[in-house]
Amino acid sequence: MKKSVSILGASVILIGLAWASCKSPAEKVEKAQNNVNEAQADLNQANSDYLADMEKFREATADSIRANDKSIIAFKARIEKEKKEARADYRKKIAALETENTDMKKRMDDFRTDSKEKWEAFKVSFSFDMHQLGDKFRKLTGSEEK
């Protein structure tokens, strides 16, 4: 008897669930449209966040490159007080750093992507390279400000 009552109860529950889940085609279309609208809104927000991240990173990079340019100018003025042999060596080293700094700026300016994954990979690689360039500037100039 208990088995038949529990089977009957389960059957009633299943029938109720099946009936509740049956929706008219119009309701199904409306729900699907709502899902599409929500997904589109999420995609738009993700794209907006992605573009904002790119802009913020580009601005930070431009600031770092400008700071490197200022360090180059200051260091060039400072080495004029050095001996002639030391100046020649410093000029070679600073020219190499100046070229590398310009290359980093060009690399950032030229970067175009069609996916967030490529952007994230570029950002990691570029940040690492910028950090190494900053270390080279600090070593050459004896500055700990960067």
Side-chain angles (χ1 to χ4, degrees), residues 65-121:
I65 289 171
R66 279 190 295 276
N68 289 345
D69 288 338
K70 287 180 183 178
S71 293
I72 290 168
I73 292 167
F75 190 71
K76 283 180 177 180
R78 195 173 95 199
I79 65 172
E80 290 306 315
K81 299 173 188 165
E82 299 290 330
K83 294 180 184 175
K84 187 176 183 177
E85 300 81 28
R87 273 189 301 214
D89 183 48
Y90 281 138
R91 283 183 182 143
K92 285 180 189 174
K93 290 178 181 176
I94 203 71
L97 288 177
E98 201 168 14
T99 298
E100 199 171 337
N101 197 49
T102 301
D103 290 347
M104 292 297 287
K105 181 181 183 322
K106 182 173 178 8
R107 185 173 153 199
M108 176 55 78
D109 291 344
D110 291 347
F111 182 76
R112 302 288 179 257
T113 184
D114 56 355
S115 73
K116 186 174 182 181
E117 292 77 22
K118 287 180 184 177
W119 167 248
E120 291 298 328

Side-chain angles (χ1 to χ4, degrees), residues 24-65:
S24 71
E27 289 173 325
K28 289 179 182 178
V29 168
E30 184 179 334
K31 183 175 180 182
Q33 185 60 46
N34 288 339
N35 289 342
V36 168
N37 290 342
E38 288 176 20
Q40 186 62 45
D42 291 345
L43 178 62
N44 290 342
Q45 182 62 46
N47 284 336
S48 177
D49 292 346
Y50 165 66
L51 293 174
D53 180 50
M54 284 181 71
E55 186 59 31
K56 182 179 174 185
F57 187 79
R58 286 180 188 273
E59 288 174 10
T61 298
D63 290 345
S64 294
I65 289 171

